[in-house]
Amino acid sequence: MSKLLVLGLCAGLLACSGPSRPKPEDVSVVPVLQEVTTRWTAQIGAVDFPLVVAVHADRVALANSQGVVTVLSATTGKDIWRLNLNQTLAAGVGSDGQQVAVVTRDNQLVVLKDGLVQWRQTISAQSFTAPLIAGGRVFVLTADRSVLAFDGANGAKLWTQQRPGEPLVLKQAGVLLPFKNTLVAGMSGRLTGLDPNTGAIRWESAIATPRGTNDMERLVDLVSPADRVGDVVCARAFQSQIGCVNAERGQSVWTRAANGERGVSGNDTLLISALSNGVVQAWNRSNGERLWETERLKYRALSAPLVTPRGVLVADNGGWLYLLSLADGALLNRIKLDGSELAAPVVAAGSHHVLVTREGRVLGLQIP
């Protein structure tokens, strides 16, 4: 990857240069207006790569930095299986509920099943995005804006698609998701629909366009998590825009300026995003109209949000988890974690919500 410059994880929270963040105001005692209960905890070991937690049915697949891949029960938090690859990881975890895939720091794609390695393949560039397993294939988005497809059974390489991009890339998970019979990938500032059988491009739709006079200003990579409801996929372009695309037609629905580094979450009526300065905003999903914003968490470095039926879950880098009202962003609860920030976006797993901290503590929460 000699032609690419990798921007480290500091960009995910604060950006690597510029003035320091103002000190946030203390959040006064928050009355518990919506209960949040910890049902189970587990430990997987420290995580310092852009982890994505994969959930299918009752199975939660995750991994630590040293290559210990674990599948837990979402109901109990107990191990279904655990395997130590003895290789440090750069990306993961992808899973379809049967197979599990990760990428190592020496550019190996490793696919496992039932606690055993099925196959390995060396890929041509670094990857910071969890592989996608779908339709009997394994898809990989690499940092040089290539998408690769492999046969899920034996690892045979099926195709490669590459698009031109800027020389600076984020050490942060990008966008790679299935949509009906289309593979949707974030490539620079565009959502791109690919034929999963051949890699041919079916459509492209820009969330943001590179602008500026230097590589940092021109960086508009799409960051995970993206959010899909029906035919519409919504995503954030790093430090510039958020927007929604009709993935059936490949047409932009709306885009809005929104300066942030983490992905988005929503439901059928709204889309939630956190800005770089800790302001949390809600947008009308259908037309991009601003519904509300809250400054209660201003100047905190926030995780990607997760919209639940009971409210919006978002964590800060000081080890606090917050539950915000869907109606107006008011604080409904806050929960102290283990003092470290989240290593992955919060995910829903059945009736539970799963969190992983940098120290490797895994929590299964319920919001009754």
Side-chain angles (χ1 to χ4, degrees):
M1 211 172 81
S2 59
K3 296 182 180 180
L4 295 177
L5 300 174
V6 177
L7 187 63
L9 287 174
C10 57
L13 293 178
L14 306 176
C16 297
S17 61
S20 61
R21 180 186 297 266
K23 182 180 179 180
E25 293 184 8
D26 291 334
V27 175
S28 57
V29 176
V30 178
V32 178
L33 302 179
Q34 175 63 62
E35 186 179 357
V36 179
T37 304
T38 300
R39 294 300 186 187
W40 53 261
T41 63
Q43 177 61 238
I44 62 166
V47 180
D48 67 0
F49 71 99
L51 173 67
V52 172
V53 178
V55 175
H56 285 271
D58 186 54
R59 294 190 166 207
V60 179
L62 58 178
N64 71 15
S65 297
Q66 298 306 309
V68 179
V69 182
T70 304
V71 175
L72 305 176
S73 163
T75 304
T76 66
K78 295 185 181 301
D79 284 11
I80 296 173
W81 58 260
R82 187 175 291 218
L83 178 68
N84 190 349
L85 297 175
N86 293 308
Q87 293 177 278
T88 54
L89 298 187
V93 175
S95 178
D96 63 354
Q98 298 298 317
Q99 292 177 299
V100 174
V102 296
V103 178
T104 67
R105 288 188 181 173
D106 59 357
N107 298 353
Q108 276 198 338
L109 170 64
V110 185
V111 175
L112 309 93
K113 185 175 182 180
D114 297 328
L116 299 173
V117 174
Q118 278 192 296
W119 50 265
R120 301 170 185 261
Q121 274 280 14
T122 299
I123 58 177
S124 57
Q126 289 179 277
S127 175
F128 307 114
T129 302
L132 172 66
I133 303 177
R137 284 154 290 190
V138 181
F139 303 98
V140 177
L141 175 65
T142 60
D144 66 353
R145 282 85 174 183
S146 295
V147 180
L148 299 83
F150 300 88
D151 187 293
N154 56 29
K157 188 174 179 181
L158 302 176
W159 53 261
T160 301
Q161 175 61 257
Q162 184 173 12
R163 305 295 287 162
E166 300 300 320
L168 189 65
V169 298
L170 290 170
K171 192 177 182 181
Q172 193 169 333
V175 174
L176 190 65
L177 56 88
F179 172 79
K180 299 180 181 178
N181 192 34
T182 297
L183 176 67
V184 178
M187 306 179 83
S188 295
R190 303 178 300 274
L191 280 177
T192 303
L194 304 173
D195 184 329
N197 297 312
T198 65
I201 294 175
R202 291 174 169 168
W203 53 261
E204 290 184 301
S205 184
I207 301 292
T209 302
R211 296 176 181 175
T213 59
N214 59 56
D215 291 338
M216 184 65 191
E217 291 175 344
R218 295 179 59 81
L219 181 61
V220 292
D221 276 347
L222 302 188
V223 296
S224 175
D227 188 82
R228 175 195 167 189
V229 174
D231 289 347
V232 176
V233 176
C234 301
R236 175 188 294 286
F238 179 76
Q239 294 282 28
S240 56
Q241 304 266 114
I242 61 171
C244 295
V245 172
N246 184 303
E248 182 70 41
R249 300 191 298 268
Q251 295 178 347
S252 175
V253 179
W254 58 266
T255 60
R256 297 289 184 270
N259 187 359
E261 302 90 14
R262 300 298 191 187
V264 298
S265 178
N267 57 26
D268 57 354
T269 61
L270 56 74
L271 186 73
I272 303 293
S273 71
L275 301 184
S276 297
N277 63 2
V279 172
V280 180
Q281 297 179 327
W283 308 82
N284 184 308
R285 190 183 191 94
S286 62
N287 60 20
E289 176 188 355
R290 179 86 59 80
L291 299 177
W292 54 258
E293 71 175 27
T294 177
E295 296 188 355
R296 287 297 301 275
L297 306 179
K298 193 171 183 179
Y299 302 132
R300 285 170 169 79
L302 299 180
S303 70
L306 176 70
V307 173
T308 81
R310 300 294 187 186
V312 181
L313 288 171
V314 64
D316 66 22
N317 64 340
W320 286 96
L321 175 72
Y322 304 90
L323 182 67
L324 309 181
S325 166
L326 289 170
D328 57 9
L331 278 175
L332 303 179
N333 201 344
R334 68 170 178 166
I335 301 95
K336 184 63 176 174
L337 303 176
D338 64 4
S340 65
E341 65 180 329
L342 295 189
V346 185
V347 296
S351 62
H352 291 73
H353 299 90
V354 178
L355 296 78
V356 184
T357 71
R358 288 280 175 209
E359 300 301 318
R361 189 180 183 213
V362 188
L363 297 89
L365 306 181
Q366 281 190 323
I367 309 176

